[in-house]
Amino acid sequence: DTEVTQTPKHLVMGMTNKKSLKCEQHMGHRAMYWYKQKAKKPPELMFVYSYEKLSINESVPSRFSPECPNSSLLNLHLHALQPEDSALYLCASSLRGNTEAFFGQGTRLTVV
Amino acid sequence: DQQVKQNSPSLSVQEGRISILNCDYTNSMFDYFLWYKKYPAEGPTFLISISSIKDKNEDGRFTVFLNKSAKHLSLHIVPSQPGDSAVYFCAASPPGANNLFFGTGTRLTVIP
């Protein structure tokens, strides 16, 4: 199993809503990531979890709240988002640092 | 500050010919480099990687070359196939780090 599974694939939410993005991998990877990608731009790192502990937060606004319940799961809780937060949100995992990261299909988020 | 750059936003190549995608980086601490392929509305798919201790890595039709003194890497695809048409991102990682710095991408079109 070399998959990173993200749900949902598409999400439309209002600016007052609370929603969560989910990511799952069963490759035994101990590093998991959230990236954000806007159209025609490269993926930008948001958060890194290493061994279920938050190791990198790239100055992401607090309306984005990551959670790593166990080594296979990664969530991104969303609250009070802005329309400019609309983007493709990508989850990835890797065995450790300096190894290839495997990406999920992404969640296409639209904030209205 | 874009530490990884792909200066060609697009490239068109005839089927069967060689595709050469280029990437430059500014951070001399990067020691691990990767190429990803991305279709619209999907997550990036890992293609090939190279460690800074090597100058070439080959996997089937894909070869990555690294020139550390020039801080430059390239991806060669030969022979190019129409199914290779996608956006290609190069990425780099510092030693032992869990984050990837992505280039801006090059859209490759292989013409049948």
Side-chain angles (χ1 to χ4, degrees):
Chain A
D1 182 3
T2 57
E3 273 197 1
V4 175
T5 304
Q6 286 186 246
T7 54
K9 283 191 168 41
H10 301 274
L11 178 63
V12 180
M13 61 185 289
M15 288 189 284
T16 58
N17 290 161
K18 282 187 183 180
K19 296 285 184 184
S20 297
L21 309 185
K22 297 186 183 302
C23 176
E24 191 168 359
Q25 57 87 15
H26 296 287
M27 295 178 276
H29 290 175
R30 303 315 298 267
M32 294 187 77
Y33 314 77
W34 282 113
Y35 282 84
K36 172 182 176 179
Q37 186 177 23
K38 302 280 272 185
K40 300 190 191 308
K41 298 284 188 183
E44 293 180 3
L45 183 68
M46 299 174 73
F47 302 105
V48 180
Y49 273 83
S50 180
Y51 291 86
E52 296 143 63
K53 290 194 185 334
L54 183 65
S55 61
I56 295 177
N57 175 343
E58 291 287 348
S59 303
V60 180
S62 59
R63 57 185 184 270
F64 295 91
S65 174
E67 179 198 18
C68 189
N70 59 54
S71 60
S72 299
L73 294 174
L74 185 67
N75 299 322
L76 185 63
H77 303 299
L78 314 172
H79 174 53
L81 295 194
Q82 304 295 311
E84 58 264 29
D85 295 322
S86 299
L88 181 67
Y89 287 83
L90 295 162
C91 173
S93 71
S94 65
L95 190 61
R96 58 183 184 278
N98 261 28
T99 60
E100 54 267 27
F102 292 85
F103 283 81
Q105 297 267 52
T107 294
R108 172 70 59 189
L109 174 69
T110 303
V111 181
V112 297
Chain B
D1 180 28
Q2 192 73 29
Q3 299 186 58
V4 180
K5 297 178 185 178
Q6 293 173 256
N7 291 319
S8 298
S10 63
L11 173 68
S12 291
V13 172
Q14 285 292 133
E15 180 179 4
R17 307 295 288 268
I18 185 170
S19 296
I20 300 176
L21 297 104
N22 294 304
C23 179
D24 298 292
Y25 60 96
T26 57
N27 189 341
S28 57
M29 295 298 292
F30 288 148
D31 71 345
Y32 189 64
F33 305 87
L34 309 91
W35 283 95
Y36 285 86
K37 173 181 177 180
K38 189 177 185 300
Y39 294 114
E42 291 187 8
T45 302
F46 169 74
L47 275 178
I48 192 168
S49 63
I50 188 166
S51 162
S52 60
I53 62 173
K54 294 186 173 183
D55 54 20
K56 177 182 174 181
N57 188 26
E58 192 172 349
D59 183 2
R61 296 186 297 115
F62 301 92
T63 303
V64 57
F65 295 92
L66 176 63
N67 182 333
K68 288 187 288 294
S69 60
K71 296 194 186 70
H72 177 83
L73 66 155
S74 60
L75 175 68
H76 292 209
I77 307 173
V78 56
S80 301
Q81 300 172 354
D84 296 328
S85 297
V87 177
Y88 288 77
F89 289 97
C90 69
S93 177
N98 281 336
N99 51 330
L100 292 174
F101 293 83
F102 281 86
T104 45
T106 296
R107 179 175 300 281
L108 173 66
T109 303
V110 180
I111 304 162

